[in-house]
Amino acid sequence: MDAKIEITTLGQLQIQNNGQVLDDFISTKAVLLVVYLAMHPIEHTRKKLAAMFWGETNDQQALKNLRTVLSSIRQSLPTALTIFHDGLTINLDAPIQVDAVRFEQGCGVALGAPDKPESLLHMQNLASLYEGDFLANVVFRDADLLESWITEKQRQLRQLYTRLLHEIVEQTQKRGEYESGIYYARKLVTLDPYWDVARRQLMRLLAFTNRANAALLEYETFTTLLRDELDAEPEAETTTLYEQIRTQHIRPPQKYTVQSAIVLPDMPFVEAIDDIAIVQRMLNTPQCRLLTLYGISGIGKTALATQVAFKRQQLYQDGAYFISLKRAETARDLPYLIASAFNLDFANHITPLELEAIILDYLKNRHVLLVLDNYDHLLPETDFIQKMLEQPSPMQILVTSQIPLNLFREWLLPLQGLRVPSFDDAQPETYEAVRLFELTAQRINPRFNLQDNLKGVVEICQLVDGLPLALLIAAGWTQIIPINKIKEYIREGQEFNLPTQRDLPPHHQSLEMMLDYTWNTLTAQEQYALLAMSIFNQLFDLDEAQQICGVSLDTLTAIIHKSLVQKYDEKYRMHQLIWRYARKKLLYSDKKEVLQHQYTHYMTRLLRDIQQQNLSLHDYLFTIETQYPRIWNYDWMAKSYQPIYILTLSRFLMLYWEISRGDEIARIQALFTAINPDDLDPKARTLHNLYLARFHFATHQYEQAKYYLQALLSYHGADISWAEWGAVFTLYLTHIYTMIDVSSPVDINADMTILNESYIKLLSLYLDMCDYQAAQDFFPYLLENTYGSIDRALIFVIQGAIFAEIGQLSSAVKLFMEAFGHLADTDEPHLWAVINSLMHRIQMDIERK
């Protein structure tokens, strides 16, 4: 099956091939050419395209540029184009999707019949496609026709998006989905801040949700904007609406929504047994007056608090009360909500302080449970809660919030999601996450069979870390798409809304909206911390977070309190959904370059420290094995930097690969072979040849090893370390002994040759482990039993490199001079040139000292 090509143009320019972001196009115009052809699937002449994309150059140069760009496109997307002698077109048979085309076509259908029941969800899905203007911030030169096309398409799509948002707000208002309407109305006002109609929509919805002050402030802000920017006034209809709100002629059905008896929602709920038991135990403790259940959005705080309150309400002589704070603008609304819950009569002109006094007096000696749901958006204001806690009352307060209230009397329970089974668990269907998925799926798809989909469901539960909201959304799609597609959408961070629950708050209708909502509640330091720490694929420790990512302890504490990062013994781990969300942002962040350098520096230091601990071979290999997953973690780095990272760490890993991962040598060798040496500087190229030579020796490909050895000697000016030059010469000597035919009848020293070869391999091992003292023990024997001029020269050079590595430069010079003496009568110009270059380097080091 052909690869699926997805082109993103709204907000950012990106092309994905089967989910893999392509970033190896030769230029921005190459990407834009693919976009243009995909959006205009007809045959285009080369002359027309050249003039459009390189109109400021002569025809010959423009056509040459087009040929170069087409060559780049064919390398990245070999099936995307159909090229003729004098023209080309997008391959009409290739599965290519462009978000702008989907948006434009979808709007044509949705806006044609907006009153259909299913149209609102369709329009909301379309709105989520528009993440920014068409090809915003794309920079190129010398293409006026191309710029005109982009500008016009930006205008058309922006106008269409404006119509779409307006219609969504109208439909949500008709259906009474006011919170959702406010969400989209604010988007519309941001898009077109000078449009009276958009302001009136927002003002009316704010008034309907008991936010008259906010609605009036919108009018005042709008009036100031028009006067300052356009020297104009709002339309008469807008001013009339303002007066109606100000005089309370637009009134919501009820100012505050309060549930004064605990009623369970008619929705599937799976008890997190441990959490419920802990909450019950804490509330049974008399000293626990305030308990906060906190965690990431969608973790099930409200559901858990409701279940606990329902189970316990008979224990409170004066009742239990559930108070939703979603529509409270500030903590000053809290006394009014509580008074409404208790059915306390109070005059409209009463002041907030007077009402607080009435409530505090009412609560004296009352045994009640107050559930305050969604307190986080009222923080940091907690004065009234503290006043209630100071009352001599057996009252208890159960709060749900994304973060703790940070009060001295506060008891805390961080929620971490439902229990998730491992793949090898004998009874995965007994875990809460799997049970919730099954209940939700069967509620809307009675034919769903868990056993037929068990493996996929377990993987989904793991991908979302047992997050109840994510499980509800994923299970909601089982009626429409197969389990493997749901897994793919979650793994790749694709957007898909909850298909059957449009009455939920906007940030609970899709994973993307929930994650966006959570992200936007963070400070800039917290956002950077998550972005930076997403480089870790597994657990990480405090040292890594601070030294690689530059995350302060205060910031780490803050995001732990928000349940975005969890602590496991001495390690930390990001929530999987947050990790994927942050990793996606990292891929396009300018912070990645600094992070990849810091990661390389940290891992180099780590491996050098391990190497210098004088461990036994077994302990050395075991230590590398335990660290290997985080060492060999570079997929998040820029493709152009990955070879640098690989080559930098390979000197520490070669021995480990050769001994502990022999069955993977071919795969690792292929990774090195794929590196283009032309992209490397002389130092990196030398290391590249060294490691490829070692790999070919390990796989007994001696001719290929010889090729890379000869290449090594061609770059004798590379500034690699003395230890690495020691490895080069040891490898050269290994090659000489490997090529000796010890079975030949004329070879009277076969045993000696085999023994020498073994000593050289041991010498190489100790050099890899930086045990230079042990390595020195081999040289007397090797010199005594080696007679070839080149062999002896190499032994002296290896020993000299070791002395240079440990700083004994004078001894190194003497050994290099010995090597020169043995090379005098040999035909080895490359070897002579290398040693001569290194002699010059030693002399320079001596002069600097």
Side-chain angles (χ1 to χ4, degrees):
M1 187 178 71
D2 291 337
K4 182 180 179 182
I5 301 170
E6 295 179 284
I7 303 175
T8 304
T9 61
L10 299 173
Q12 64 176 348
L13 176 57
Q14 180 189 101
I15 297 181
Q16 294 187 23
N17 190 6
N18 268 353
Q20 182 69 36
V21 177
L22 302 180
D23 57 4
D24 55 353
F25 288 97
I26 193 172
S27 66
T28 301
K29 285 187 179 179
V31 186
L32 292 175
L33 180 59
V34 176
V35 173
Y36 182 79
L37 294 173
M39 294 181 69
H40 299 82
I42 59 173
E43 184 176 345
H44 303 266
T45 66
R46 290 175 180 258
K47 185 176 180 180
K48 171 196 166 185
L49 293 173
M52 182 174 184
F53 281 76
W54 293 277
E56 304 305 311
T57 62
N58 59 59
D59 293 346
Q60 183 177 1
Q61 183 61 45
L63 287 169
K64 180 180 178 182
N65 291 343
L66 177 62
R67 286 194 298 273
T68 302
V69 162
L70 289 177
S71 176
S72 169
I73 295 172
R74 281 197 296 266
Q75 289 179 9
S76 301
L77 295 169
T79 64
L81 302 182
T82 301
I83 300 178
F84 308 102
H85 173 68
D86 190 43
L88 63 145
T89 181
I90 202 74
N91 182 0
L92 299 179
D93 295 326
I96 300 176
Q97 286 191 349
V98 185
D99 59 347
V101 175
R102 288 171 55 203
F103 177 78
E104 197 167 18
Q105 293 174 348
C107 286
V109 174
L111 294 174
D115 292 322
K116 288 185 177 181
E118 68 274 12
S119 292
L120 178 58
L121 178 60
H122 182 43
M123 288 190 290
Q124 290 171 327
N125 288 335
L126 286 172
S128 69
L129 285 177
Y130 200 99
E131 296 186 356
D133 287 338
F134 178 70
L135 298 179
N137 303 319
V138 174
V139 179
F140 54 86
R141 297 184 302 171
D142 303 332
D144 289 345
L145 289 176
L146 177 61
E147 185 174 358
S148 297
W149 172 70
I150 292 175
T151 301
E152 176 59 21
K153 183 58 67 174
Q154 282 178 347
R155 186 193 65 78
Q156 294 172 0
L157 293 175
R158 189 180 179 91
Q159 188 177 58
L160 201 56
Y161 183 50
T162 302
R163 287 183 55 203
L164 180 69
L165 290 178
H166 175 263
E167 190 59 47
I168 289 174
V169 177
E170 288 291 304
Q171 293 300 322
T172 53
Q173 182 177 319
K174 287 179 183 178
R175 300 180 189 205
E177 299 174 11
Y178 300 143
E179 292 294 341
S180 181
I182 289 172
Y183 174 80
Y184 289 102
R186 290 197 185 281
K187 282 181 174 288
L188 184 55
V189 166
T190 302
L191 185 70
D192 192 348
Y194 303 105
W195 194 21
D196 280 74
V197 173
R199 292 286 176 169
R200 288 198 295 272
Q201 284 183 319
L202 179 56
M203 289 168 62
R204 189 173 288 110
L205 287 167
L206 289 171
F208 286 171
T209 54
N210 309 305
R211 305 179 204 176
N213 290 338
L216 298 176
L217 182 60
E218 280 293 332
Y219 176 84
E220 294 163 4
T221 302
F222 183 48
T223 301
T224 301
L225 177 69
L226 291 178
R227 289 172 180 170
D228 292 347
E229 301 293 334
L230 303 178
D231 194 21
E233 295 290 332
E235 293 177 357
E237 188 178 346
T238 309
T239 302
T240 299
L241 177 61
Y242 167 77
E243 290 297 330
Q244 290 174 340
I245 296 172
R246 188 179 65 81
T247 57
Q248 298 185 358
H249 284 92
I250 290 184
R251 301 173 64 89
Q254 184 178 347
K255 185 174 182 181
Y256 297 110
T257 301
V258 175
Q259 183 176 316
S260 57
I262 308 300
V263 178
L264 291 180
D266 187 19
M267 288 288 291
F269 177 79
V270 176
E271 292 187 357
I273 298 173
D274 291 344
D275 289 341
I276 286 185
I278 293 171
V279 174
Q280 294 278 27
R281 186 176 71 246
M282 296 172 85
L283 290 176
N284 286 336
T285 305
Q287 292 80 10
C288 180
R289 302 280 311 287
L290 169 64
L291 172 58
T292 300
L293 311 179
Y294 70 95
I296 186 175
S297 179
I299 200 70
K301 301 181 291 291
T302 300
L304 178 61
T306 305
Q307 292 286 331
V308 169
F310 178 79
K311 290 174 182 289
R312 295 182 61 86
Q313 59 186 334
Q314 302 303 322
L315 302 177
Y316 298 89
Q317 180 180 342
D318 297 301
Y321 300 84
F322 185 96
I323 301 174
S324 174
L325 305 178
K326 290 179 181 178
R327 295 185 178 181
E329 293 185 47
T330 70
R332 286 173 294 180
D333 291 330
L334 184 57
Y336 294 91
L337 290 168
I338 295 175
S340 179
F342 293 146
N343 292 319
L344 296 179
D345 292 328
F346 55 90
N348 290 331
H349 61 270
I350 194 170
T351 67
L353 286 176
E354 290 172 333
L355 182 58
E356 285 185 10
I358 292 173
I359 294 172
L360 293 174
D361 183 66
Y362 177 83
L363 288 174
K364 283 182 179 178
N365 301 316
R366 291 190 183 270
H367 189 206
V368 299
L369 173 66
L370 287 182
V371 180
L372 304 181
D373 189 43
N374 287 295
Y375 199 96
D376 41 277
H377 73 287
L378 304 184
L379 291 173
E381 299 176 67
T382 58
D383 288 350
F384 189 57
I385 287 184
Q386 293 185 69
K387 290 177 182 178
M388 287 192 290
L389 293 175
E390 291 169 358
Q391 290 286 97
S393 166
M395 173 189 64
Q396 287 182 308
I397 303 174
L398 180 60
V399 170
T400 72
S401 175
Q402 288 201 49
I403 55 178
L405 277 56
N406 289 329
L407 298 179
F408 178 73
R409 291 184 175 91
E410 183 179 26
W411 291 45
L412 296 172
L413 177 60
L415 302 186
Q416 299 181 351
L418 302 176
R419 289 189 310 126
V420 176
S422 60
F423 282 121
D424 58 356
D425 198 285
Q427 294 181 305
E429 64 275 6
T430 63
Y431 284 74
E432 294 112 12
V434 177
R435 286 166 50 210
L436 178 61
F437 189 99
E438 181 184 22
L439 284 173
T440 305
Q442 290 181 343
R443 181 172 65 88
I444 62 170
N445 181 15
R447 295 183 178 86
F448 177 80
N449 187 295
L450 177 64
Q451 292 303 320
D452 293 343
N453 299 279
L454 189 55
K455 184 178 178 182
V457 171
V458 169
E459 187 172 348
I460 289 172
C461 293
Q462 292 176 344
L463 286 171
V464 302
D465 263 358
L467 186 76
L469 174 63
L471 293 170
L472 291 172
I473 293 174
W477 280 95
T478 54
Q479 188 180 28
I480 302 168
I481 57 179
I483 287 289
N484 64 325
K485 275 293 180 186
I486 297 175
K487 289 191 304 184
E488 181 181 324
Y489 287 165
I490 296 174
R491 188 180 292 109
E492 296 178 1
Q494 295 189 30
E495 167 73 0
F496 62 113
N497 295 336
L498 190 60
T500 58
Q501 300 296 325
R502 292 192 297 273
D503 55 335
L504 290 175
H507 65 277
H508 276 186
Q509 291 186 14
S510 79
L511 293 182
E512 188 71 16
M513 293 173 73
M514 182 273 286
L515 292 167
D516 285 341
Y517 172 81
T518 301
W519 186 264
N520 291 331
T521 64
L522 304 177
T523 66
Q525 292 86 351
E526 291 165 351
Q527 289 179 350
Y528 169 75
L530 293 174
L531 189 84
M533 292 188 300
S534 72
I535 65 177
F536 303 115
N537 286 331
Q538 298 181 343
L539 297 172
F540 57 93
D541 58 31
L542 181 61
D543 188 53
E544 290 172 320
Q546 291 180 327
Q547 295 194 32
I548 298 176
C549 304
V551 177
S552 69
L553 187 57
D554 287 345
T555 301
L556 182 61
T557 301
I559 55 182
I560 288 175
H561 280 165
K562 294 180 180 180
S563 298
L564 305 176
V565 170
Q566 296 152 356
K567 186 174 181 295
Y568 291 84
D569 296 326
E570 302 302 317
K571 300 283 187 178
Y572 302 90
R573 174 182 177 272
M574 289 177 66
H575 191 284
Q576 287 298 288
L577 286 173
I578 295 295
W579 176 79
R580 274 189 291 275
Y581 183 86
R583 172 66 73 90
K584 191 175 179 181
K585 287 187 172 293
L586 172 68
L587 294 178
Y588 310 104
S589 169
D590 57 0
K591 309 295 184 185
K592 183 164 61 175
E593 183 175 353
V594 173
L595 286 169
Q596 61 195 16
H597 286 292
Q598 291 174 174
Y599 196 85
T600 304
H601 176 74
Y602 184 90
M603 290 302 165
T604 301
R605 189 182 64 193
L606 170 72
L607 287 167
R608 185 179 291 115
D609 290 345
I610 293 172
Q611 203 176 51
Q612 294 175 352
Q613 289 176 16
N614 294 324
L615 300 172
S616 67
L617 178 60
H618 175 271
D619 290 342
Y620 176 79
L621 296 176
F622 179 76
T623 303
I624 295 293
E625 175 72 25
T626 58
Q627 300 289 345
Y628 192 70
R630 64 177 182 151
I631 295 170
W632 209 236
N633 167 35
Y634 58 84
D635 60 317
W636 58 272
M637 299 178 182
K639 285 188 176 180
S640 59
Y641 185 80
Q642 289 178 11
I644 305 300
Y645 180 79
I646 292 170
L647 291 170
T648 301
L649 298 191
S650 292
R651 65 163 291 196
F652 305 102
L653 299 174
M654 284 299 304
L655 182 64
Y656 168 75
W657 285 331
E658 290 170 344
I659 297 178
S660 298
R661 297 205 172 221
D663 56 336
E664 297 183 37
I665 284 290
R667 181 182 63 81
I668 301 172
Q669 178 178 324
L671 182 68
F672 276 77
T673 304
I675 297 174
N676 185 357
D678 294 335
D679 296 336
L680 305 175
D681 58 33
K683 176 179 178 179
R685 192 177 304 181
T686 301
L687 294 175
H688 184 230
N689 287 321
L690 171 60
Y691 303 139
L692 279 173
R694 287 192 64 165
F695 279 128
H696 284 97
F697 268 119
T699 53
H700 309 295
Q701 302 174 63
Y702 300 122
E703 286 302 319
Q704 292 92 328
K706 181 179 179 181
Y707 167 81
Y708 289 108
L709 273 173
Q710 291 174 340
L712 274 169
L713 300 181
S714 300
Y715 295 100
H716 51 79
D719 188 23
I720 62 176
S721 71
W722 287 110
E724 286 161 339
W725 274 119
V728 170
F729 295 123
T730 305
L731 194 62
Y732 196 94
L733 189 58
T734 302
H735 174 70
I736 292 175
Y737 275 96
T738 301
M739 300 311 292
I740 296 175
D741 185 2
V742 297
S743 64
S744 172
V746 299
D747 184 7
I748 60 174
N749 293 314
D751 292 341
M752 189 68 69
T753 299
I754 294 172
L755 191 58
N756 283 359
E757 184 180 357
S758 299
Y759 273 104
I760 292 165
K761 288 181 179 178
L762 284 171
L763 172 62
S764 176
L765 184 150
Y766 283 115
L767 287 178
D768 281 335
M769 296 180 63
C770 293
D771 191 346
Y772 302 126
Q773 183 59 49
Q776 290 284 10
D777 295 339
F778 292 99
F779 290 109
Y781 172 84
L782 288 171
L783 288 171
E784 183 178 346
N785 295 282
T786 302
Y787 307 103
S789 297
I790 296 177
D791 304 15
R792 292 181 65 82
L794 287 170
I795 292 170
F796 281 118
V797 170
I798 296 167
Q799 193 175 17
I802 292 176
F803 276 112
E805 178 70 20
I806 62 178
Q808 298 183 24
L809 301 182
S810 299
S811 298
V813 169
K814 293 178 182 177
L815 290 164
F816 272 69
M817 293 302 296
E818 286 280 358
F820 272 128
H822 287 283
L823 287 176
D825 298 325
T826 64
D827 185 19
E828 284 288 341
H830 287 307
L831 187 57
W832 191 94
V834 172
I835 298 174
N836 185 55
S837 175
L838 295 179
M839 275 288 296
H840 178 69
R841 177 175 163 183
I842 291 178
Q843 290 166 353
M844 295 277 293
D845 289 344
I846 292 174
E847 289 176 5
R848 278 195 293 269
K849 283 193 173 183

